């Protein structure tokens, strides 16, 4: 690798000179390639000091003749690499440098030349222009050390120690997007460790007896300890983020994409980390920023700065931080709950710099449309901040808001109990809304009002103390709005929290839910989106819509709003629209209960955006098919219960109650377990405080029933105790008529539990468990997410293995190891790309067996390392044939069952089964784009499928009819357009290899005969299979005898084939395959071929003398393909016979390659005419192949010997090169240096 010129003062220190000329010196690092104690010490010193010479132990120095100072011009990781650079310098620079007379001119010329080479040749797709030179060098080292492909992106690297067998190994830890890698060199021994993030089951930071701060990385098989970091916190945070990305890939099946639109750096800010590391840091900060202020998912934080905010309600300055993003300016006080503020840029009218003073240094004033002004001060770089805000204001698309400002459309509808402010848009009038959302003729549209307004008491005679209390609450909120502001730009303080805990008035609940959840921002920036979704989703049928229809009448059936078509239709529209918006989630049970409550208090469009905020931001992954989010929070709840109610934790664990209650409580926000009027108070707190409220309340319920729960003997009794308690939770302030809770209706409780006031319960939860912080919950969520997703993956593996265990001859352990490799190959192409997209190969909604599927490219990689027939030049071609045979539904993908079925037959099948499989592989029809297939291809495909599907079977003499469905299946690859006429079920096709149906197959129609072209391919495969076998020479001779015999049999069979019957009975050509192309030999090896003499093979096997005259005694000549084309006197058949004892010298298997042609020449020089294409009358059957092989003990022994699958699996798992077929999973490689 060429490098910028770096000055070296002591060229000989720790380096050995290997070559030199007047201008350049080639040196090798001591200890690299040379033995001795000094070399070991130097190598160890390089590791401890993290010297670059550990990875690049060769270098080239430039030195002018009259100077003692040298400059490094090139580094090399290998002697071959550095020698190539040296040769280039000698051939291209030496003569030119001799022309210069001035030393400075020489140095300038060399520097410019090297810089030009670097600019031209060292640009890598993975090396970004924004990366520093040292990081570019680290990227190259990373790829060379671990054999990673260029697609694997390095994020950062750290110097640390890795503890193995209680011995620390100092080295470098490399963190990439998909792997954590470590490399160390200690006393000449190099140790490498490669772990996929997708295999990490636990990642934690802890202290040990010896070390105060270590990072533990655990997989399913081993724990790895790293320590002595310069910055442990930074390293651990990055490792957490990368592990989270890996879990997200397993969950969503989406590959990582780098965000190139990084926040703008100030000119004085140095770039100390890579662009990818800055991208990940920016993502982490943006995630925390969005969670803190409930902003949309696509909002990106641009930057933050310390400042003070003038608050008019306290008439004081509050210290905090200002956050600026693409569409928002936010403020959060240093004291967490003191004050927070959200200012959408769409609401901003003026941003100006006020005059500085000693009281208000560097002030900034921001005014909004609703005539609120916010004054910030003590800004460190006010000019830069103002410029960034101005840039974002120019980018803001505010056409719709400008129109609303002019028309004054921020007015409330008449049925609301209070007036809306400009920051909360609503429809101008009810008729306008009805026209906009008139989606159902037989029901009243709910877009203009919430369902609860239809059941609100408005008559004066119904006035009661509860209603008076409700009116007082409304008055308190109006006073709060007057003092703290109203709408999105409202100051949110402790006073706001107190009002929420006292209960939100029914008339304001929908608006405040929308405000506190942040759904108002998404609704405002997407006008007309919900209406468009409803129109698109109406009339569409899917699995989600079917489930929605089943659950519509189970959603709050006790509430009158959902006892008629008005509420049911609104609920149907919202749920269907969301399923159409987010097909990954679609519909999940419990969504109907939550949505029905949202519709009671919010308009239809508002309820939709509240559902979006709930499913996609506030409760992530709760409502997918695996309810991963709920399972994660179940684990978090267990941790919290252990910490806060330890006396109850062991009892609950033994009873198994925590897992039961957490799912039912969390998924529905207590709506399914509490009386409705009490549960909405919980929802109030949830939208304001987030998920921590749910944990606090759940812990309070357990703590309140601790004595009763400790007396329970089983989970049923514990659930009864908790159910009775929750049924008794009441809301004495509710103005609604009492609605009996469904759970209480199903329980005949003669001794009801004393009433529990919901407000007291909520206040108690804040007093006892209010110290639980949102960031602590997120930390615990990460830990539990690793456990939950890996548990799901393990469950999937167990289910797959349990399903197919009885169908295979493999043990459960072997199937587990195979599944790991199969999945690893799938993940490798997810990381680095492949011929098919990951979404095509993974679908969590499918059965376990079909969730992971691989394509041809991935199968070929596994075939070459696991299948015993792999090897030689024809291995890839055989893999293609095998894949086509296993791909029973012709979708160019195979699942694990199909993969394991084929491998099981090769490993544990008997000789007949293996030969039949080999025969089928070569009898498959050729993949072609022609409209008509050759007869032989039709025969082969008809045999494979007609016995399994009787209704499409044909008789022996049936002919294909292009105007009718002939039952023919054409195999379609991604790059070929072949019409698929019929698809056979996988289970039926696999019956071919089921031992239980063997007797039935024996009575089935015979296998189709092989024509000459197919037989040639079979011979190539046989010779290729024996590569590197200990009995290779015997197998080679046995195969030669078999092929010679079969070729003679094919010639004999022509005597019994009439010109008209030959096409049907003797097979036909499957393509333009030359009959003389039996084996091919490269032209450069023709000189080693010689003529070999053999006796008559027909006499040895006792065949009738019915072969053509003149072929009794023969010699065999090997000629090139080109020579065979010009020789019109060649008849093709096999060339070697086991009866020959005079082969001098022996012709080895490797001598027969793709370019070799073996032809027969008459003993007296007589020869037969050579046809241009394979003989259409030439054919052999499977019985003839089987009989021929059975006469050769070497072949019988080869096909009957068992295969050690575990040895092949171990070899595959310990492959040095990551990504050659799959990423190495949790393995170590110890290599001697050099």
């Amino acid at each position: 690798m060429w490098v910028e010129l770096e000055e070296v003062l002591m060229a000989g220190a720790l380096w050995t000179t290997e070559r030199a000329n007047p201008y350049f010196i080639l040196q090798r690092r001591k200890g690299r390639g040379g033995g001795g104690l000094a070399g070991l010490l130097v190598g160890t010193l390089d590791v401890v000091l993290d010297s670059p010479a550990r990875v690049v132990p060769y270098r080239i120095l430039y030195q002018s003749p009259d100077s003692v100072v040298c400059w490094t011009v090139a580094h090399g990781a290998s002697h071959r690499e550095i020698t190539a650079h040296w040769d280039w310098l000698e051939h291209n620079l030496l003569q030119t440098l001799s022309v210069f007379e001035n030393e400075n001119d020489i140095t300038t010329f060399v520097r410019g030349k090297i810089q030009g080479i670097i600019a031209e040749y060292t640009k890598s797709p993975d090396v970004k222009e924004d990366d520093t030179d040292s990081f570019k060098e680290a990227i190259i080292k990373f790829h060379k050390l671990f054999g990673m492909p260029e697609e694997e992106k390095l994020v950062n690297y750290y110097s640390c120690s890795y503890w193995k067998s209680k011995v620390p190994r100092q080295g470098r830890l490399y963190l990439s997007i998909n792997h954590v890698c470590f490399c160390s060199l200690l006393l000449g021994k190099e140790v490498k460790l490669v772990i996929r993030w997708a295999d990490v089951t636990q990642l934690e930071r802890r202290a040990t007896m010896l070390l105060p701060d270590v990072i533990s990385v655990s997989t399913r098989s081993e724990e790895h300890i790293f320590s002595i970091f310069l910055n442990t916190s930074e390293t651990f945070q990055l490792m957490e983020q990368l592990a989270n990305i890996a879990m997200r890939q397993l969950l969503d099946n989406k590959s990582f994409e780098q965000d190139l639109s990084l926040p703008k750096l100030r000119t004085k800010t140095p770039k100390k980390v890579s662009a990818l590391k800055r991208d990940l840091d920016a993502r982490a900060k943006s995630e925390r920023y969005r969670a803190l202020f409930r902003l949309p998912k696509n909002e990106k934080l641009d930057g933050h700065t310390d400042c003070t905010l003038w608050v008019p309600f306290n008439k004081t300055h509050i210290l905090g931080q200002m956050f600026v993003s693409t569409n928002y300016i936010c403020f959060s006080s240093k004291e967490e709950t003191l004050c927070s503020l959200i200012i959408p840029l769409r609401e901003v009218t003026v941003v100006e710099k006020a005059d500085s003073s000693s009281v208000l240094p560097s002030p900034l004033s921001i005014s909004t449309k609703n005539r609120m002004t916010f004054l910030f001060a003590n800004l460190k770089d006010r000019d830069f901040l103002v410029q960034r805000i101005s840039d974002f204001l120019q980018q803001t698309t505010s056409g719709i808001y400008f129109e609303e400002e002019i028309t004054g459309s921020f007015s409330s509808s008449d049925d609301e109990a209070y007036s809306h402010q400009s920051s909360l848009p609503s429809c101008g009038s009810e008729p306008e809304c009805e026209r906009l959302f008139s989606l159902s003729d037989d029901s009243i549209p709910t877009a203009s009002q919430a369902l609860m307004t239809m059941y609100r008491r408005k008559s004066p005679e119904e006035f009661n103390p509860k209603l008076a209390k409700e009116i007082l609450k409304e008055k308190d909120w109006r006073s709060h709005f007057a003092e703290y502001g109203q709408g999105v730009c409202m100051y949110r303080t402790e006073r706001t929290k107190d009002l929420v805990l006292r209960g939100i008035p029914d008339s304001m609940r929908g608006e405040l839910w929308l405000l506190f959840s942040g759904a108002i921002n998404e609704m405002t920036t997407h006008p007309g989106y919900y209406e468009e979704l409803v129109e698109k989703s109406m009339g569409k049928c899917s699995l989600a819509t079917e489930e929605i229809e089943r659950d519509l009448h189970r959603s709050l059936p006790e509430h009158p709003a959902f006892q008629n078509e008005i509420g049911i239709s609104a609920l149907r529209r919202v749920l269907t629209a969301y399923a159409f918006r987010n097909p990954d989630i679609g519909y999940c049970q419990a969504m109907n209960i939550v949505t029905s409550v949202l519709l009671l208090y919010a308009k239809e469009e508002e309820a939709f955006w509240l559902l979006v905020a709930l499913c996609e931001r506030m409760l992530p992954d709760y409502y997918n098919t695996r309810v991963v989010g709920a399972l994660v929070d179940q684990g978090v709840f267990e941790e919290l219960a252990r910490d806060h109610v330890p006396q109850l934790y062991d009892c609950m664990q033994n009873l198994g109650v925590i897992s039961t209650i957490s799912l039912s409580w969390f998924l529905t926000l207590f709506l399914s377990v509490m009386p409705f009027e009490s549960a909405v108070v919980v929802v109030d707190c949830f939208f304001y405080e987030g998920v921590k409220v749910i944990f606090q309340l759940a812990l309070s319920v357990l703590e309140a029933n601790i004595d009763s729960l400790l007396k329970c003997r089983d989970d049923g009794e514990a659930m009864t105790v908790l159910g009775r308690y929750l049924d008794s939770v009441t809301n004495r302030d509710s103005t609604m008529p009492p609605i009996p809770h469904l759970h209480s209706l199903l329980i005949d409780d003669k001794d009801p539990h004393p009433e529990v006031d919901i407000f007291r319960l909520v206040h108690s939860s804040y007093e006892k468990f209010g110290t639980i912080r949102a960031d602590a919950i997120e930390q615990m969520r990460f830990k539990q997410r690793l456990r939950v997703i890996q548990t799901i993956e393990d469950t999937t593996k167990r289910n797959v293995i349990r399903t197919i265990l009885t169908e295979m001859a493999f043990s459960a352990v072997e199937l587990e190891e195979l599944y790991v490799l199969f999945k690893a190959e799938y993940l490798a192409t997810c990381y680095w790309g492949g011929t098919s997209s990951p979404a095509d190969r993974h679908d969590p909604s499918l059965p376990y067996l079909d969730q992971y599927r691989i394509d041809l490219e991935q199968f070929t990689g596994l075939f070459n390392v696991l299948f015993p027939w792999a090897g030689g030049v024809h291995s890839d071609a055989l893999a293609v044939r095998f894949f086509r045979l296993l791909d029973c539904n012709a979708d160019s993908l195979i699942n694990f069952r199909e993969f394991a079925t084929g491998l099981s037959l090769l490993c544990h099948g008997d000789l007949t089964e293996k030969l039949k499989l080999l025969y089928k592989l070569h009898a498959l029809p050729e993949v072609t784009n022609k409209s008509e297939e050759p007869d032989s291809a039709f025969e082969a495909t008809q045999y494979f499928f007609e016995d399994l599907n009787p209704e499409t079977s044909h008789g022996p003499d049936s002919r294909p009819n292009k105007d009718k469905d002939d039952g023919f299946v054409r195999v379609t690859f991604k790059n070929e357009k072949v019409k698929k006429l019929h698809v056979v079920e996988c289970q039926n096709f696999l019956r071919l290899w089921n031992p239980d149906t063997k007797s039935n197959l024996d009575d089935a129609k015979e296998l189709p005969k092989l024509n000459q072209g197919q037989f040639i391919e079979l011979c190539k495969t046989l010779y290729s299979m024996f590569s590197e076998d200990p009995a290779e020479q015997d197998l080679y001779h046995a195969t030669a005898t078999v092929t010679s015999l079969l070729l003679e049999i094919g010639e004999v069979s022509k005597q019994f084939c009439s010109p008209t019957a030959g096409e049907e009975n003797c097979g036909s050509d499957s393509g333009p395959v030359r009959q003389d192309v039996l084996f091919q030999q490269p032209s450069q090896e023709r000189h080693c071929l010689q003529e070999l003499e053999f006796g008559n093979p027909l006499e040895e096997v006792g065949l009738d003398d019915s072969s053509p005259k003149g072929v009794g005694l023969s010699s065999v000549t090997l000629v090139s393909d080109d020579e065979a084309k010009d020789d019109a006197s060649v008849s093709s058949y096999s060339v070697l016979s086991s009866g020959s004892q005079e082969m001098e010298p022996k012709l080895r298997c490797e001598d027969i390659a793709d370019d070799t042609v073996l032809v027969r020449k008459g003993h007296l020089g007589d020869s037969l005419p050579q046809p241009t294409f394979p003989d259409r009358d030439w054919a052999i059957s499977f019985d003839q192949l089987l009989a021929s092989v059975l006469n050769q003990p070497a072949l019988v022994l080869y096909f009957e010997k068992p295969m050690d699958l575990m040895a092949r699996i171990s070899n595959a798992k310990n492959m040095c090169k990551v990504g050659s077929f799959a990423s190495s999973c949790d393995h170590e490689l110890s290599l001697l240096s050099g």
Side-chain angles (χ1 to χ4, degrees), residues 734-788:
S734 175
T735 60
M736 295 178 53
I739 300 174
H741 188 237
L742 182 61
H743 183 264
S744 62
L745 293 175
L746 300 176
I747 299 177
D748 184 14
D749 197 350
K750 297 181 180 180
D751 185 18
H753 192 280
E755 287 188 357
V756 179
D757 184 68
I758 181 61
F759 296 106
R760 290 185 179 178
L761 180 61
V762 170
H763 279 283
S764 174
S765 70
Y766 273 90
E767 290 174 0
K768 296 179 179 179
F769 309 106
T771 56
I772 298 175
R773 296 173 54 88
D775 54 354
I777 291 176
E778 288 302 319
Q779 185 70 27
M780 287 186 282
R781 275 180 166 178
F782 163 75
K783 179 180 177 181
Q784 295 299 326
R785 191 177 293 114
L786 288 179
R787 180 188 61 81
V788 168

